[in-house]
Amino acid sequence: MGLKIGDKLPDFKAKDTNGILFDSKDYIGKQPLVIYFYPKDDTKVCTQQACSFRDSYQDFKDLGAEVIGISSDTIQSHIKFKSKFDLPFILLSDTDKRLRKLFGVENDFLFIPGRQTFVADSDGIIKMIFNSMSGTIHIDKALKSLKKLTK
């Protein structure tokens, strides 16, 4: 059973592309968060999704939110992916799938890691959860959810 709308984001830690330990406590309670889980760096749909988040990143920042991408790829893979596509947001490595389990992100089609987006308000309360293998839809859904929070 995964997280639900109305739940508080769990505290979690993971290494980012700078090799620094990211701590969710540094963000939860301070600003809205868009946390998206994706299957794999540098694959067609995952790249489209990441580039769509990149292209809309300023819109997320204008709404006060930070974007965090999470996959089970290694830090080295994330570094290459981030550099190749000039991704301005945080990428976290979840090689042991601990975060995926913590958030309750299930596999799609039995074996492909799920693609799921969570939007939390500045208090860390989950306001939207969206699950779809189509990558680019996540960006519009997340932006609409954040706009509702700022009204």
Side-chain angles (χ1 to χ4, degrees):
M1 188 74 173
L3 295 173
K4 300 178 296 307
I5 291 174
D7 287 350
K8 186 161 176 47
L9 282 174
D11 292 332
F12 63 92
K13 296 178 183 179
K15 292 275 184 159
D16 68 12
T17 51
N18 297 314
I20 297 170
L21 190 63
F22 170 93
D23 188 340
S24 64
K25 290 180 185 177
D26 294 336
Y27 293 84
I28 295 173
K30 297 181 174 111
Q31 67 186 107
L33 293 175
V34 176
I35 300 171
Y36 82 97
F37 288 83
Y38 65 98
K40 185 130 182 70
D41 288 345
D42 220 1
T43 57
K44 183 180 178 184
V45 177
C46 294
T47 298
Q48 288 171 342
Q49 182 179 28
C51 290
S52 292
F53 270 116
R54 175 200 64 205
D55 295 346
S56 297
Y57 187 65
Q58 190 57 52
D59 296 330
F60 287 101
K61 295 305 280 181
D62 290 347
L63 293 167
E66 185 55 72
V67 175
I68 301 165
I70 303 173
S71 80
S72 60
D73 292 296
T74 65
I75 293 170
Q76 297 314 110
S77 176
H78 279 344
I79 289 169
K80 290 176 190 168
F81 187 52
K82 187 171 181 143
S83 175
K84 182 176 181 180
F85 296 103
D86 197 26
L87 305 177
F89 49 85
I90 297 164
L91 290 181
L92 299 178
S93 182
D94 184 32
T95 54
D96 60 4
K97 299 178 179 62
R98 184 180 46 80
L99 298 181
R100 192 170 281 282
K101 288 177 189 152
L102 182 64
F103 278 73
V105 179
E106 306 263 332
N107 284 353
D108 289 318
F109 308 116
L110 298 176
F111 60 92
I112 298 172
R115 184 183 310 279
Q116 196 161 347
T117 299
F118 297 81
V119 174
D121 66 14
S122 57
D123 294 321
I125 305 301
I126 298 170
K127 298 297 183 179
M128 185 209 81
I129 301 172
F130 183 69
N131 184 342
S132 170
M133 284 309 282
S134 172
T136 56
I137 297 171
H138 290 253
I139 290 78
D140 290 336
K141 295 268 189 194
L143 280 170
K144 284 179 186 168
S145 179
L146 282 170
K147 287 175 183 172
K148 287 181 189 173
L149 296 179
T150 59
K151 284 186 179 180

